[in-house]
């Protein structure tokens, strides 16, 4: 059965020549092509800025809740309802581009979402004092971009990471360090997603056609009669 044969592949037996075997995946992070001096030094309680994995357009105030083996971090968003019991922590590798040093958003003039319930202007130094905590050192982070050639306004095809079977027509809306803000054409900016410039989930124009996968076109403007008609036809 499907389950049995994929398990065999996991154990390294090539039961089906079309299956990936375990040795094809880099499970030892020291073998990744990231500088080995990166990702060290995180400790429980340290504060940082992190992309919310369930709301990829927002960057939030976050805390290292746990340090796992091989520099994997459990991160909690400050002020989230379940941030105490761990049920809404998420795992980012210490070298992930989705975690940023404090002040990063401010420096790059991008919005930072304060913790739920925070009143007044969010000021990091004050917040560190109030929460008696320290910031994760800047040297821990992998924010240096490789020499990528993405520019604002360029079109591409991008996975909607919240509904990943969809690959959509998209535009580079912003480039900040390693991060690209991907805008899905026709959708409100609240659907935008920050992704690493080396993300395997972004593709050049024409990729879907090349691999014969459906490309989601731009969302039609629902105010026009034509697209309402198109929607009605689709629903029937
Ligand atoms: N199913 C939801 C959201 C779709 C999101 C699409 N991507 C490309 C942003 C809706 O139809 O509203």
């Amino acid at each position: 059965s499907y389950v049995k044969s994929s398990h065999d592949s996991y154990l390294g037996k090539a039961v089906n020549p079309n299956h990936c075997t375990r040795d094809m995946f880099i499970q030892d992070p020291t073998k990744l092509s990231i500088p080995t001096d990166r990702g060290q030094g995180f400790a429980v309680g340290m504060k940082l800025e992190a992309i919310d994995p369930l709301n990829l357009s927002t960057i939030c105030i976050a805390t290292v809740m746990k340090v796992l083996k091989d520099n994997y971090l459990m991160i909690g968003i400050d002020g989230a309802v379940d941030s105490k019991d761990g049920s809404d922590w998420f795992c980012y590798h210490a070298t992930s581009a989705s975690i940023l040093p404090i002040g990063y958003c401010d420096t790059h003039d991008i919005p930072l979402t304060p913790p739920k319930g925070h009143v007044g202007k969010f000021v990091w130094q004050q917040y560190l004092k109030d929460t008696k905590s320290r910031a994760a050192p800047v040297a821990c982070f992998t924010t240096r971009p490789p020499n990528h050639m993405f520019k604002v306004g360029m079109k591409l095809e991008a996975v909607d990471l919240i509904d990943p079977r969809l690959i959509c027509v998209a535009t580079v809306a912003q480039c900040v360090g390693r991060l690209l803000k991907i805008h899905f054409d026709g959708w409100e900016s609240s659907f935008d997603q920050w992704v690493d410039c080396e993300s395997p989930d972004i593709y050049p124009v024409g990729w879907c056609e090349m691999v014969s996968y459906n490309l989601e076109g731009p969302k039609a403007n629902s105010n026009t009669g034509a697209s309402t008609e198109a929607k009605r036809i689709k629903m029937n």
Side-chain angles (χ1 to χ4, degrees):
S1 73
Y2 173 75
V3 172
K4 185 175 176 294
S5 56
S6 32
H7 186 236
D8 282 346
S9 295
Y10 183 74
L11 297 175
K13 288 181 237 163
V15 285
N16 180 328
N18 295 324
H19 285 185
C20 302
T21 53
R22 192 180 176 182
D23 55 333
M24 294 166 67
F25 295 88
I26 302 172
Q27 293 190 322
D28 177 353
T30 62
K31 296 205 173 78
L32 288 170
S33 60
I34 37 177
T36 48
D37 62 329
R38 294 276 125 184
Q40 309 289 328
F42 285 102
V44 171
M46 285 177 174
K47 300 284 182 196
L48 49 112
E49 301 179 2
I51 298 173
D52 179 350
L54 296 179
N55 189 354
L56 293 157
S57 66
T58 63
I59 303 181
C60 305
I61 313 298
T63 306
V64 177
M65 307 306 280
K66 210 168 174 186
V67 180
L68 309 177
K69 202 168 155 294
D70 291 330
N71 265 328
Y72 285 92
L73 308 173
M74 296 307 294
I75 305 286
I77 291 183
D78 289 24
V81 201
D82 297 320
S83 62
K84 292 267 181 308
D85 69 6
S87 61
D88 65 356
W89 298 352
F90 43 90
C91 188
Y92 277 145
H93 192 258
T95 55
S96 166
S98 298
I99 51 174
L100 305 158
I102 74 158
Y104 194 83
C105 285
D106 201 32
T107 308
H108 295 276
D109 209 20
I110 47 182
L112 176 65
T113 306
K116 229 189 227 127
H118 181 88
V119 276
K121 186 174 155 33
F122 181 85
V123 181
W124 261 118
Q125 289 315 323
Q126 188 59 44
Y127 186 69
L128 292 178
K129 235 189 247 162
D130 293 348
T131 55
K132 296 190 180 55
S133 47
R134 61 192 170 123
V138 180
C140 297
F141 295 86
T142 310
T143 49
R144 229 176 323 124
N147 286 328
H148 70 69
M149 297 189 299
F150 292 103
K151 297 254 174 331
V152 170
M154 287 178 170
K155 297 286 181 201
L156 72 164
E157 300 177 5
V159 173
D160 178 346
L161 294 163
I162 301 297
D163 193 357
R165 78 205 148 92
L166 304 176
I167 303 184
C168 313
V169 171
T171 307
V172 178
Q174 221 172 327
C175 303
V176 179
R178 297 189 61 92
L179 296 175
L180 308 177
K181 190 159 86 180
I182 302 298
H183 174 73
F184 295 104
D185 287 30
W187 294 85
E188 274 128 70
S189 57
S190 58
F191 289 101
D192 290 358
Q193 300 183 350
W194 286 107
V195 301
D196 186 60
C197 60
E198 292 184 331
S199 164
D201 296 311
I202 53 176
Y203 308 99
V205 169
W207 191 84
C208 281
E209 194 184 342
M210 187 187 75
V211 301
S212 304
Y213 190 80
N214 183 57
L215 174 66
E216 301 292 324
K219 187 191 180 197
N221 182 349
S222 54
N223 296 328
T224 71
S227 68
T228 311
E229 177 68 4
K231 241 191 231 161
R232 194 187 57 75
I233 290 167
K234 219 174 156 186
M235 280 167 69
N236 287 340

